[in-house]
Structures are given as C-alpha cells and as structure tokens.
Amino acid sequence: MWTGRWVADRAGIALTGSERLPELVGLALRSGNPKRAHLLVSTVLGKHVPQRPSVVHGAGLELGRRVRDLLGAEAAGRAVVLGYAETATGLGHSVADGLDAPYLHSTRRPVPGLDPVGGFEEEHSHATSHLLLPADPGLLAGDGPLVLVDDEFSTGRTVLNTIRDLHARHPRGHYVVVALVDLRSAADRRRLDEAAAELGVRLDLVATASGGVELPEDVVARAERLIAEAAPAAAPPVGEPPSAGPAPLDRVELDWPAGLPDGGRHGFTAHDRARLDAALPRLAGQLAEALPAGARRVLVLGFEELMYAPLRLADALAERLGGDRVRFSTTTRSPVLAVDDPGYAIRTRLAFPAHDDPRDGGSSERYAYNVAPGSDPARRFDAVVLVVDDVADTPALHEGEHALLGQLRRVTDRVVLAVLPSHRPVPVVPAPLAAPSSPPAALSPPGSSKLPGSSELPAPLYGPAFSSYPAEEVAWLLKDLSGVALEAPTEEREEAVQNGGAHYAESLPVEYQPSPEYQELFHQALRGSASRIALAVGTVAETLLRERGPGLVLASLARAGTPVGILVRRWLAFAHGLSVPHYAVSIVRGRGIDPVALRYLAAHHRARDVVFVDGWTGKGAITRELADALAGTGFDPDLAVLADPGRCVRTYGTRDDFLIPSACLNSTVSGLVSRTVLRAGLIGPDDFHGAKHYADLAGNDVSALFLDTVAARFGEVRAAAVEGADRLAADPHREPDRAGWAAVERISAEYGIDNVNLVKPGVGETTRVLLRRVPWRILARRGAGADLDHVRLLAAQRGVEVEEVDGLPYTCVGLIHPRYSRGATGGDGRAVADGGTVTETTGRES
C-alpha cells in the first residue's frame, strides 16, 4: 500500500507526474506548522523512514554521477556541493561522493568564534534560519559550479534565497540544483528562470523524479481537523517495555580517526573522504562486536544534522553482517502526526527533549519516527545503534523519563550508544604573523601579586619584568627568585647535594657562558635547521588542533619547553588566526609537576583543554614523571614534543634525533630564565615553583633570534606541516614503544654502568651533560655530521672523549662518569649510595 493513501483520501492531496513518485515519497501531516499542512516523506532519504543504508547512499551517489556527466570532467573538478540542513545533509554529502567534490551543508547550530560566511531563510520550515559556517571561507569563493542539494524541490524559494545570498558575495556563472523529487508548479518554474536571467547565470536542475502536488484550497483547515481527530488514536509515544525491563544500554568507543570531520557542517574534502573510507571497516567491526548475537533487525539511528557519518557506518555494518539486517534513519526537529496505519508514512513517534543545547532552547522537542514497532511486532528492531556527536552526549540524552535513550530502551532489546567527536573547526585565516598587543584575555595582567577572587593562588610572571619574552608570548607560573644566590660550580653543587642529602632542584648550576667559537656554531646550527624545526612545530600544532580543537591551552615545561610552546602559539596565529593562552610550568624529578600551577590552570581553563609541551625526549623519564604527576587530576598527560627519538610520546614533529639549537645554550636561548627551583624556605605550599631571571645576561640573549628565525620559515613549510599531521594521524606505529629505553639499558650493560640514569641519550640530553654535568665520554653515531659540531666543540673544551660507534639508535649519547657522581641524585632526586658506589639521575632532564 502507498504510504500516502491515508492523507490523500482524507485531505484531498494528490501527486501527479512521474510514476516513480509513489515509490519515492509518502505523505504525512505536519503538526504545529501553519505554513504547510503536509509533509512529503521520502522513502530513500533515511530521515523519517528506516531504509537500507545502501539505498540511501546509492540515491545520492546516482544523482552525483548525473551531475558529473552534466558538467563534464573539467567543470566537475571545480565544483562545490552545498546541502541543506537538516533533512538533506546526508543526501548532499552522498551527492558530493558521487561527484567527488568538496562538501558543505548549512546548519542551525551556531559555533562560538566562527562567523558565518552566509545565511538564508527556508520560508516554509518550522525552523527557518540557515547558517553557512565553513572552516575555510574560501570553500564557497571559487568560480566553479555550485551544486545545491535538497530532498525535495517544491517551490524553489529556499534555493533562490541561497543563490541570491551567495551570488552577492561570490558571483559565479553556473548553479546546479539537485533533489530527489521536483514538484514545482509552473509559476515556481518561471520564477526561478526569471531569477537566473536577472543574475545572468546558468541554472540546471537534476532530480530523480518530477511531478506536482495538488492541494485543495482548504488544505490547512482539513489537516487541522484530521490532526485533532487522529491525535487520541495516534500511536503512543513509547512502546511497552520488555518483560525483563528496559533493554541493556552499551556504549561503544569508536576509534574515530583523529581530526576527521564528523560531517560537512564546516566542510568535508576529498582527503577527508579517503580517510573515512579507509576507517569504515574497522569502525563497523567495533559496532558489530557491541551487538547482541543473532540480532536480525538492526537500526542505526543518526542525530538531526549528523546523518552522513551514521549512514556510512550503517552501510559498512550492513556489509559486515551480511544479509538484509540493517536499516538507517535519524532523529529530527520536524513535528509530524503519527498514525499507525499501513497507508500513512509516519506510523510511530518518539518525542523527547532536545539534548544538544540548541539555539531554539533546550526544552524544545525532538522526534524519532518509525523506530517503535507500533501494532506490528514484525517491525520491532532487535537492536538500535544511536550515533550522536559529543555536543549532544549530555545528561538530557540519558536522564529523565522522556530522554531519548530511555525511550529507545523500551522499544528494542539492546541499545548501543556511539559518540563521535564533534568537529571543532579551525578557521583558515591566511595572514602574516602578528603577535597580540596584550597578554591573552584568559591570563591575569602583570603587576598584582594575587588574582582577584582567588587569594590562595599567586599571579603569573610576565616579561619584560621577568624573562626577555614579551608578555603576550608566555605567562610564567613561577615565583621570582632573582635576588637569591642559588648557583654553585658543578662539582661543588653535586658534593653539597651528596653530603646533605639535598635535592637537585634546591640549587642551580652556574650558567654556561659560550665562547665566540661556540656562539658561531649556534648560529650555524640555527640557520641550517630552522626549516626543519619549523616543520616539526607546524606538524605538532596542526595535530593538536585536529585532536584538541581551537580551544586548546598550551602549558610548556619550563624552561626547555617554553620556546617550543611559544613557537606552537605563533604557528596557530600565523596559520589559523588563533590566539591561545600559553603558560610555562615547572616539573621536578621525584616531586612531580607544580601542584599550585595545576590549581591555577584548573581554575582558569578546562583541564581537558590543557596540552603540555616540551622540546624533545631522551629515554622517557620526564614523560613517566608527567604521567605519574597527572594521574587522577583530569589533565591529559600526553606530552607534545618537537623530536621524539626515544619513542616515548604519541604527539611529535619527528622521531629523528637532530639538533634543536635551543638545546645548545641555557638561559640565553630561553628568555633569560633559569632552571626551576623547589626549596623549603623559599617555596611555600601556596607558591609556584621558583626560577631566576638573569637580566645581566641580556647582552648574550638570542631568545628572540631563535624564535624569529624559525617563525620566518613557517610559510615555506605550511603545506608540508599539514601533510606531516596527516601522516601522523594515519601512522599505525604512532603509539610509543619506548624503544629508546631498551637502547639505554643495552648501553649501560656494555659500558659497565650500574645505573641507566647515568646514560643521557639524544643530542639535546648530551648537550645538557656537557653544559651542566661532569661528563665521562660521548658516544656518537658513526658518520654523524654537522648536528654534532657543537657537541664535539664542548667535548674538546672539557677534555671529554668522543667515541664513534655503529648501531647507535640516537645521534649521540652522553655518559656521566661515576667518579664525579658524589653529588648526584637517585630516583627521588636525592643522593643514592650502594656499597660505597654512588649513582645518580639528573632530575628534570629526560
């Protein structure tokens, strides 16, 4: 039976034209919409009527191929597809798949910080305003054909509103309108033709079927009467629960590719399409494992505008399960009368509160149609897989008698919840690097000792009063100890530590003052590696944006991580027009990260937005220290570094062991700030850890030179950085395996060193051994080139042997001689003696 018969017989509505129309659409009555009494209910759209996902996706693919044939290969290659929210978001995306074109759909969900590049009204809809929010405004700025996709083309007013708005902003010569059904009247057709002539554009239309809708003059009154009469007998909003009570609810954690958009709300590219296609078999497998054994009828239920990702998941799941077992549909904002009759398109209705904090109010209703079985047990689904984005995964989804999950658990035998990460767009704003003129708004201004309303928390320090970095580059969560004498020569410092059982962080080494020859090596190294460092910075920054979103907060590990944090912040400003907060915090071996700094970050930001940043990894001591210190705090311990030769982290620019010139020097490349200090009597329980500002070394300061030289290379490596982030996201070996630790243990055994903490792997850590410690010998990979020039010079100045070896996984490794370990520290940062032999670690060094 045609699912429009009930309305046609009672309201006098008739379809004319193509014989295919009845198989493509049924009829229902809208409730609460005085502008249009009837609703054309598509059988192939996957919105109101559960349908095989291959049919839903295939309908769009076929339309996309027809558009490609119409345009020809050259024009099709320049086309962009625009779909309409909410009903046609999945259809438009499927058309873009068939055309192989980038895709954007309109949205009714505003995004803070993202300005619309256009908007229009859908005059007959219950929710009229559409926004266009592409992350890249240039997506709609080209001169290629614009393909507009809607489920039905009834009057043409929405399309005309869209074309007028966009043509005024970005004129083009060709528009193509695509719909499942074209039901325009003759007057509507003339109106659109006249508008095309007025604008001087070509306008084509592609539809699966065409015809018309005949409406009696009193159709609205008839519909109101029918709704009033049918409402008491309409299908109940919730079915009877199974005898054992509500169905089980399982949550499946899908391995959604990092940074992959969940749909076209902010744009979807051919590259995104390829990533999704590659991931679908794995994702379908995860869903299949969550389903009950023997499930014969499974519904994958999407969420309003989130149609395409659930559709593709449903299609992949159907292919995996085999047979005819999977159907697809989504929830909707559209209020429609439900009548449990085979001749009516909407048999059952679940009504539930909105759960995504929508613009039209959190109390407004949403609907899921034809999900409950109604009077026909054969229509019951054995399992429902609900797919939402994380914006919609709120208490309103879970809690309360009428919440969607609760209602679904009463009409099926198993509910599976899959939550996708909502794509947080990063606006593309090509602009020259321009540092903000004031500290980030989230940071407290310098000058006060306490934060207003937070008397227990100290205020950050800012340059130029503390450090040579401008105030907008970094806020130091440190206590200024510049007036305290804390330095001692290396041997004296270590012996004092040993004799008193003191901690390494209670004093400071004397700052190394480079010779002219060594300074020249620094400048050579900087010139030679600036592009390589810029690429690593860009790869890390792009990765963080994809995985953490534009609301991220940088927290660099003082002091070596601070120049890196500044460079990442500069990249975000350069490449994306973002200004993100950046703090420098202290971490101390054996005592963890500064707890007062963590309290400050938690008081001003969401813990999950904070990203900890450092320069490089050695054997992984600092990554373990950070993970231990952050356990149970809500902060993410995933450290981001430029170079990860130790294979200790999952967010990195490279795993090559190369020279980062900021490792060549101490404070004079780190804003004239010392290592951090934690000492009783100086640092109280409500103080940040301390540090000194060596203002007297300003004449040798190259901190700004280092930053500016690297940042000047951002433009030339921008494309490569995006590709680097792509490779990192797809790298199956991305997870840390700590291979560097195994190498350190082997070296320790080979050289008779009874404590691996005396082995400092990597260029950065070897440099620190030569600058701060009492080195024994340096192991260099045979054939290592200019990256080790500064190491060889320092070793010669200190009379240390450089031994070239084969099979070294690092470029070089620094070894500390046990003879000078009298003042060294153990795992807790204090002296360790064993049978007269003292061993050590280096504290903050990793």
Side-chain angles (χ1 to χ4, degrees):
M1 182 181 294
W2 177 44
T3 58
R5 178 58 56 196
W6 192 95
V7 174
D9 290 345
R10 290 164 175 80
I13 299 174
L15 298 183
T16 63
S18 172
E19 295 181 354
R20 291 199 63 191
L21 280 178
E23 73 180 63
L24 293 175
V25 295
L27 292 173
L29 297 178
R30 298 175 184 262
S31 57
N33 187 344
K35 301 176 182 179
R36 182 176 291 183
H38 69 285
L39 176 71
L40 292 170
V41 181
S42 172
T43 62
V44 299
L45 184 65
K47 172 55 71 171
H48 305 92
V49 178
Q51 178 59 274
R52 292 191 300 274
S54 60
V55 171
V56 178
H57 192 217
L61 288 174
E62 176 58 27
L63 286 168
R65 296 182 185 117
R66 289 177 58 188
V67 173
R68 187 170 189 83
D69 291 342
L70 170 71
L71 295 177
E74 190 279 329
R78 296 184 292 114
V80 176
V81 179
L82 175 64
Y84 286 91
E86 67 174 52
T87 308
T89 58
L91 175 65
H93 211 140
S94 300
V95 170
D97 286 351
L99 183 57
D100 194 22
Y103 177 63
L104 175 74
H105 70 70
S106 66
T107 181
R108 294 188 177 102
R109 181 194 287 178
V111 177
L114 193 65
D115 294 329
V117 301
F120 51 90
E121 296 296 313
E122 187 178 5
E123 297 172 6
H124 66 271
S125 176
H126 64 286
T128 60
S129 297
H130 288 245
L131 302 172
L132 297 178
L133 298 174
D136 182 1
L139 183 65
L140 296 175
D143 60 359
L146 181 63
V147 181
L148 302 104
V149 182
D150 209 349
D151 59 318
E152 64 178 81
F153 198 30
S154 53
T155 66
R157 291 191 181 95
T158 301
V159 166
L160 184 54
N161 290 339
T162 309
I163 292 174
R164 289 191 183 280
D165 179 86
L166 293 178
H167 198 75
R169 302 167 187 265
H170 305 294
R172 66 185 72 227
H174 195 179
Y175 295 87
V176 181
V177 179
V178 178
L180 289 170
V181 293
D182 175 14
L183 301 174
R184 292 173 298 158
S185 67
D188 293 328
R189 294 172 189 271
R190 285 195 302 271
R191 183 186 305 109
L192 202 62
D193 290 342
E194 291 168 358
E198 173 192 340
L199 296 173
V201 300
R202 174 183 170 186
L203 196 154
D204 292 305
L205 190 137
V206 176
T208 303
S210 61
V213 181
E214 294 183 352
L215 302 173
E217 292 184 1
D218 62 344
V219 65
V220 173
R222 291 192 190 192
E224 290 176 349
R225 184 175 63 253
L226 287 170
I227 290 172
E229 293 172 354
V238 181
E240 291 298 321
S243 58
L249 170 64
D250 294 328
R251 187 184 184 103
V252 60
E253 298 296 336
L254 292 180
D255 186 20
W256 187 258
L260 177 66
D262 54 312
R265 180 180 287 117
H266 308 296
F268 199 93
T269 67
H271 176 68
D272 296 327
R273 185 175 297 119
R275 292 187 64 204
L276 177 59
D277 289 344
L280 280 172
R282 180 181 73 254
L283 298 172
Q286 293 175 308
L287 288 179
E289 291 176 1
L291 293 174
R296 294 172 295 103
R297 279 175 52 82
V298 178
L299 174 67
V300 177
L301 184 64
F303 160 66
E304 297 183 27
E305 294 177 9
L306 184 66
M307 293 187 68
Y308 179 74
L311 169 61
R312 299 300 308 281
L313 288 169
D315 204 7
L317 180 62
E319 184 174 345
R320 184 179 183 90
L321 295 181
D324 188 23
R325 301 165 61 185
V326 180
R327 294 295 185 270
F328 166 76
S329 65
T330 78
T331 65
T332 177
R333 294 172 174 236
S334 302
V336 185
L337 174 71
V339 178
D340 196 1
D341 186 289
Y344 189 84
I346 303 296
R347 300 281 299 272
T348 64
R349 179 176 91 160
L350 302 181
F352 51 91
H355 52 91
D356 66 332
D357 192 23
R359 170 185 280 183
D360 52 357
S363 62
S364 56
E365 277 192 331
R366 300 293 187 261
Y367 310 94
Y369 296 115
N370 294 321
V371 175
S375 61
D376 184 359
R379 292 162 52 87
R380 184 182 183 86
F381 290 105
D382 301 317
V384 175
V385 179
L386 176 63
V387 182
V388 301
D389 60 10
D390 54 20
V391 173
D393 184 25
T394 64
L397 175 66
H398 297 259
E399 301 171 1
E401 179 181 358
H402 299 293
L404 175 56
L405 282 174
Q407 296 202 50
L408 291 175
R409 295 176 68 186
R410 301 184 68 178
V411 300
T412 187
D413 299 321
R414 177 74 61 86
V415 176
V416 176
L417 175 63
V419 180
L420 305 184
S422 179
H423 182 52
R424 270 70 169 180
V426 179
V428 177
V429 184
L433 177 65
S437 59
S438 60
L443 308 185
S444 137
S448 62
S449 60
K450 301 288 182 181
L451 287 171
S454 302
S455 58
E456 75 281 7
L457 292 175
L461 301 172
Y462 296 89
F466 184 87
S467 90
S468 61
Y469 294 134
E472 66 271 13
E473 300 267 33
V474 60
W476 300 87
L477 301 187
L478 295 173
K479 181 178 181 179
D480 190 355
L481 300 179
S482 300
V484 181
L486 295 168
E487 295 81 10
T490 300
E491 290 83 354
E492 293 181 15
R493 177 172 175 264
E494 293 193 346
E495 182 151 5
V497 171
Q498 179 200 8
N499 291 341
H503 193 281
Y504 81 92
E506 294 179 357
S507 60
L508 292 172
V510 174
E511 283 285 308
Y512 170 74
Q513 296 304 300
S515 66
E517 184 181 10
Y518 186 83
Q519 291 183 52
E520 178 55 31
L521 278 179
F522 165 81
H523 291 290
Q524 290 178 9
L526 179 57
R527 290 191 294 269
S529 62
S531 295
R532 194 174 184 182
I533 298 168
L535 176 57
V537 169
T539 300
V540 168
E542 296 292 332
T543 299
L544 291 176
L545 277 176
R546 294 180 183 189
E547 299 184 357
R548 305 293 287 272
L552 61 85
V553 176
L554 301 174
S556 58
L557 301 184
R559 67 185 167 181
T562 303
V564 177
I566 292 174
L567 285 170
V568 170
R569 184 177 183 276
R570 286 192 180 189
W571 179 279
L572 298 176
F574 158 76
H576 301 290
L578 293 176
S579 177
V580 302
H582 173 216
Y583 302 90
V585 301
S586 168
I587 187 169
V588 174
R589 177 67 181 272
R591 296 185 180 178
I593 200 163
D594 185 344
V596 180
L598 286 186
R599 282 164 49 202
Y600 183 96
L601 292 173
H604 292 79
H605 306 281
R606 296 187 304 180
R608 66 186 183 188
D609 291 335
V610 176
V611 179
F612 293 92
V613 178
D614 207 357
W616 58 86
T617 64
K619 57 179 175 287
I622 199 62
T623 59
R624 291 191 297 272
E625 186 75 40
L626 185 65
D628 292 344
L630 296 180
T633 64
F635 289 94
D636 188 340
D638 184 18
L639 185 66
V641 300
L642 296 189
D644 180 35
R647 302 181 66 89
C648 306
V649 301
R650 66 184 307 274
T651 303
Y652 52 86
T654 179
R655 278 183 165 154
D656 294 339
D657 183 21
F658 76 102
L659 172 62
I660 299 175
S662 59
C664 289
L665 301 169
N666 287 325
S667 67
T668 52
V669 77
S670 304
L672 300 181
V673 174
S674 73
R675 294 182 63 183
T676 58
V677 174
L678 180 58
R679 177 169 161 178
L682 295 177
I683 307 300
D686 294 324
D687 290 332
F688 294 135
H689 291 182
K692 298 184 69 169
H693 173 206
Y694 292 118
D696 57 308
L697 300 181
N700 294 324
D701 189 17
V702 292
S703 304
L705 173 68
F706 171 70
L707 297 174
D708 293 344
T709 302
V710 174
R713 307 292 178 89
F714 284 172
E716 69 186 50
V717 302
R718 182 173 182 176
V722 173
E723 293 174 0
D726 290 342
R727 286 193 300 272
L728 184 60
D731 187 356
H733 305 296
R734 178 181 178 183
E735 296 301 321
D737 58 20
R738 300 192 177 275
W741 182 263
V744 168
E745 289 182 321
R746 177 178 58 79
I747 293 170
S748 298
E750 184 177 341
Y751 284 83
I753 300 173
D754 60 358
N755 191 326
V756 293
N757 292 307
L758 294 173
V759 180
K760 303 299 179 185
V763 178
E765 293 308 305
T766 300
T767 304
R768 288 178 167 187
V769 168
L770 290 165
L771 292 178
R772 304 176 185 171
R773 309 307 299 269
V774 182
W776 176 32
R777 72 176 66 180
I778 304 300
L779 308 182
R781 181 191 298 157
R782 193 176 306 279
D787 273 350
L788 292 189
D789 285 349
H790 76 292
V791 169
R792 295 186 182 95
L793 177 60
L794 284 175
Q797 290 176 346
R798 301 201 63 179
V800 177
E801 176 187 358
V802 177
E803 177 182 345
E804 290 198 349
V805 296
D806 296 313
L808 196 65
Y810 297 90
T811 302
C812 61
V813 176
L815 306 180
I816 300 174
H817 200 296
R819 182 166 63 91
Y820 290 104
S821 63
R822 297 175 301 169
T825 58
D828 62 353
R830 294 183 175 275
V832 176
D834 182 10
T837 301
V838 181
T839 58
E840 69 171 352
T841 68
T842 65
R844 163 67 180 85
E845 292 152 349
S846 55

